[in-house]
Amino acid sequence: MSLAVRSALCAALLLAAGSAQAAVTPVPVGQPLARFANLKPGVHRYLRFKQAGDTVRVADVWTREVRFEDQDGQRRLHIVQHWDGVGAAPSDRQLDSWFELGTFRPLTHVRRTQKDGAAKVEGYAFQPDKIVGLKDLADNAAKDFEVASPQPSFNFETDMEFLQALPLAAGYEASIVFTHPGGGPPAAYLFKVAGSEVLNLPGGGKVDCWVVTADYNHPEMPITRFWFAKGSQVMIKQLSPLPDGSGVIGKTLLY
């Protein structure tokens, strides 16, 4: 192979590598999201389950509600969540999260849990360089919490609605900085549109979906897959294989 041919081949490979890197779209906090208008006021309820072979065990029903409300004189996005256990057991976990309109920039997040009869409240505020405990929230067990955020972060507890607001399309890949409020420092996670699939619905209906994948920065682990309806981009289904291969943890939209 001549020197000229080798040089041309190396240049082509470098260009291809650069193009592959450029295909990943960073999603910075504070910029308007392309499809924020997909978020509509209303409630979605998901059945959470574990499936091993043909055996399906129901965990609970997860309710997620999107609201648009005024707070401190400004119109904002408000997402509330709660879990209802099997057998009509009372919900033992509730989340209350506020965001900047249009950008999904997180403002505050309050988690209320109850275990063995003991109630716990944890509240957090997202700041440009850190996530801190809410000082003025009554009984806040996390009032002294503080973790550095070298770059602003989105709230991982509302990832389903956040992904709904992205410009999902064939080949789209997004790098998103997320953190679980109360957890470790933020990190960037890669979400990829791996393809599309038509899901069959009860009663004979069908819904065309984007299939989105994520490894949550653990490439050695099985990949999680999400199915988002192509029109509304509402999440229809999610499957996360268990590490030992014994089954999957899943969520599916009820209504």
Side-chain angles (χ1 to χ4, degrees):
M1 183 184 296
S2 70
L3 178 60
V5 172
R6 285 201 302 271
S7 298
L9 180 58
C10 288
L13 291 173
L14 287 172
L15 179 61
S19 299
Q21 289 181 341
V24 177
T25 302
V27 185
V29 175
Q31 292 191 8
L33 297 183
R35 295 181 186 164
F36 189 87
N38 279 340
L39 295 170
K40 308 294 185 186
V43 176
H44 291 107
R45 292 181 173 87
Y46 291 87
L47 181 72
R48 293 203 310 159
F49 62 89
K50 177 181 178 181
Q51 182 170 356
D54 294 329
T55 301
V56 178
R57 299 189 184 280
V58 174
D60 52 33
V61 174
W62 188 352
T63 299
R64 307 172 71 106
E65 181 177 2
V66 172
R67 305 173 182 173
F68 293 95
E69 299 176 321
D70 291 332
Q71 184 192 53
D72 300 330
Q74 298 186 53
R75 197 69 171 168
R76 288 175 172 166
L77 169 63
H78 187 196
I79 298 178
V80 294
Q81 308 175 51
H82 71 268
W83 287 254
D84 293 301
V86 175
S91 173
D92 63 357
R93 188 171 184 231
Q94 301 178 23
L95 305 181
D96 189 293
S97 312
W98 289 87
F99 307 85
E100 185 176 65
L101 206 64
T103 69
F104 229 114
R105 180 174 68 88
L107 302 171
T108 61
H109 181 81
V110 176
R111 181 186 302 116
R112 300 180 187 274
T113 56
Q114 191 165 40
K115 184 176 182 180
D116 300 327
K120 185 177 182 181
V121 179
E122 302 163 88
Y124 307 91
F126 285 76
Q127 299 180 2
D129 59 347
K130 59 187 174 181
I131 297 106
V132 299
L134 286 169
K135 303 296 185 184
D136 57 353
L137 178 66
D139 302 318
N140 185 9
K143 66 179 181 179
D144 296 323
F145 178 85
E146 181 173 322
V147 66
S149 182
Q151 54 184 317
S153 169
F154 291 104
N155 185 348
F156 228 151
E157 297 272 25
T158 53
D159 58 338
M160 288 159 54
E161 291 81 10
F162 181 85
L163 293 171
Q164 184 185 356
L166 297 182
L168 302 181
Y172 178 73
E173 298 184 12
S175 176
I176 307 164
V177 176
F178 274 127
T179 188
H180 278 100
Y189 296 85
L190 187 63
F191 291 81
K192 303 178 182 181
V193 176
S196 62
E197 183 179 345
V198 176
L199 296 180
N200 295 316
L201 301 177
K206 297 179 182 295
V207 57
D208 195 7
C209 296
W210 294 117
V211 181
V212 177
T213 62
D215 66 9
Y216 296 105
N217 296 342
H218 288 281
E220 76 282 2
M221 302 288 282
I223 290 176
T224 291
R225 287 178 169 80
F226 308 81
W227 285 257
F228 288 90
K230 286 187 177 179
S232 64
Q233 294 192 176
V234 168
M235 196 191 85
I236 306 299
K237 183 173 70 170
Q238 175 187 340
L239 293 178
S240 300
L242 294 170
D244 62 3
S246 62
V248 297
I249 300 294
K251 307 181 188 76
T252 186
L253 180 64
L254 291 173
Y255 58 95

